[in-house]
Amino acid sequence: MNFRVRPVRRLAGECEVPGDKSISHRAALLGAIADGPTEVQGYLEGEDCLRTLTAIQMMGVEVGKKGPGHYRIGGVGRDGLSEPGDVVDCGNSGTTARLLIGFVAGQPFWTLMTGDESLRRRPMKRVAEPLTRMGATIVGREDGGRLPLAIRGAPRPRAISYTTPMASAQVKSAILLAGLRADGPVTVREPAPSRDHSEVMLRAFGARVERTDPLTVTLHPGPLRGTAVQVPGDISSAAFLLVAGLLVPDARVIVRRVGVNPTRTGLLDVLAAMRAPLTMTPHGGATDGAAEPMAALGVSTAPLAATTVAGALIPRLIDEIPALAVLAATARGTTEIRDAAELRVKESDRIAMLARELAKMGVRIEERADGLAVPGGQRFHGARVASAGDHRMAMALAVAALVADGETVIEDTACVQTSFPTFVDTLNALAGGEAITVEP
Ligand code: S3P
């Protein structure tokens, strides 16, 4: 499937984005091992999160669909899962794979897991290493470092105190999930704060989670209580609409009900530093530390200034860097993105991909080992570009194409279904016409 994108002069209106991908995965997994049912509203019905629902069903959890994005998950309790009867296919989803490895690392059975070509290339040692210390057996390709993997859970995982080598919410969450059945408190320390959706949701399910400092979290093992989860819109999807709303010549865009957990709002800080006219109107939520805050985010066309994106900011906007690179190419001055080597092990090597595909659109980006230098003041030219099956690359290229000086064809765009199935319809509604057409 390809996108054919025509440049647009105008974007206007209010919209919503589908549910947050990170929060949806966690709602499914915690709901599965809670005592009693969990009702989830706003669940992201993209391929990644549907993989997680299928995985818990394969372990004997009942999942009932009650409406669009509305699911009832029949919690079986921490001791109630059963061994999956077949290989669990995580598709393109790194979060499904890494969280699930932690989820089954404390279960007394075997789980076999695989994924698509992209996921089978991505590193799994980062979760296998601490989980092995907790007593799980993880075997597979590259000495247990790549899918397909076989995991034999530890019936009673050992309590550990672990320092992660990288700021990764997936690694932290895998350890916490295994820790729910551990023989004592489990502590994870990170080099910089990563998204804390697991901690927020574990508390909502009744778990005792302590944050001794911004880098350290301790979980006390115990049962979970099924609850109601309202999933906010995904700021990582909203990012593409906000960037489009800043770039298109005559634009005013408002995205409602976006999750604005401070561990995810690095993009908003960067937009403010670039002097973007950004408005944020809170919707309420997060009253007791057990819910996720939401806001309506608004932008309009504006000339922007370059900035530097590095350090502790990186984990707070890691998935937004493809969109940000597109924006930076038009700003005044050179934007530096550093400390972001993690981009090389996402759904694609996003550093190499951004440099290569944007070059096809006539935009020069300097590739660095851990980031990018993006000279501003450039114009995008219509071209034929490729997503390499990476959803965020496909959408970033589509946004660049909206302001190019001719038509652009983006190849291999079915991947957009993994996180933002309504991307094309939402952008076309804002454009008031067929800016993007989907070709088989
Ligand atoms: C995620 C964490 C991040 C992010 C990914 C989702 C999560 O990955 O890039 O899209 O839901 O925990 P890392 O943990 O690898 O940084």
Side-chain angles (χ1 to χ4, degrees), residues 21-23 25-26 95 98-99 122 126 167-171 173 195 197 318-319 342 346-347 392:
K21 182 159 75 70
S22 294
I23 297 173
H25 285 298
R26 286 156 173 81
T95 313
R98 299 205 181 103
L99 265 52
R122 296 178 66 187
R126 51 183 64 196
S168 164
Q170 293 176 355
V171 176
S173 304
R195 63 193 67 191
H197 303 303
I318 188 75
D319 295 338
E342 276 293 306
K346 293 295 177 189
E347 286 81 334
R392 300 205 199 279

Side-chain angles (χ1 to χ4, degrees), residues 125-127 129-131 133 160-176 186-194 215-217 315 342:
K125 203 70 185 182
R126 51 183 64 196
V127 286
E129 213 268 324
L131 296 171
R133 285 198 205 184
I160 59 166
S161 181
Y162 187 76
T163 302
T164 61
M166 73 292 288
S168 164
Q170 293 176 355
V171 176
K172 174 177 62 179
S173 304
I175 298 168
L176 297 179
V186 167
T187 297
V188 185
R189 191 177 166 77
E190 309 184 88
S194 66
L215 301 175
T216 313
V217 61
E342 276 293 306

Side-chain angles (χ1 to χ4, degrees), residues 111 141 157 162 202 227 252 254 273 278 301 308-309 314 328 355 359 378 383 401 433:
T111 306
R141 286 175 59 224
Y162 187 76
L202 279 163
T227 186
R252 184 171 293 275
I254 293 175
L278 173 77
T301 320
T308 297
V309 186
I314 294 294
Q378 306 192 68

Side-chain angles (χ1 to χ4, degrees), residues 271-284:
L271 293 183
M274 295 177 88
R275 301 203 204 105
L278 173 77
T279 59
M280 179 164 150
T281 315
H283 278 299

Side-chain angles (χ1 to χ4, degrees), residues 172 195-203 209 211 217:
K172 174 177 62 179
R195 63 193 67 191
D196 69 355
H197 303 303
S198 296
E199 296 90 308
V200 170
M201 198 180 290
L202 279 163
R203 285 194 195 104
V209 181
R211 188 164 280 287
V217 61

Side-chain angles (χ1 to χ4, degrees), residues 95-120:
T95 313
T96 304
R98 299 205 181 103
L99 265 52
L100 210 56
I101 296 174
F103 185 74
V104 298
Q107 296 293 336
F109 52 69
W110 279 96
T111 306
L112 304 179
M113 284 172 54
T114 192
D116 72 5
E117 203 190 327
S118 152
L119 190 55
R120 292 196 308 272

Side-chain angles (χ1 to χ4, degrees), residues 200 283-294:
V200 170
H283 278 299
T287 44
D288 54 3
E292 295 277 354
M294 272 194 292

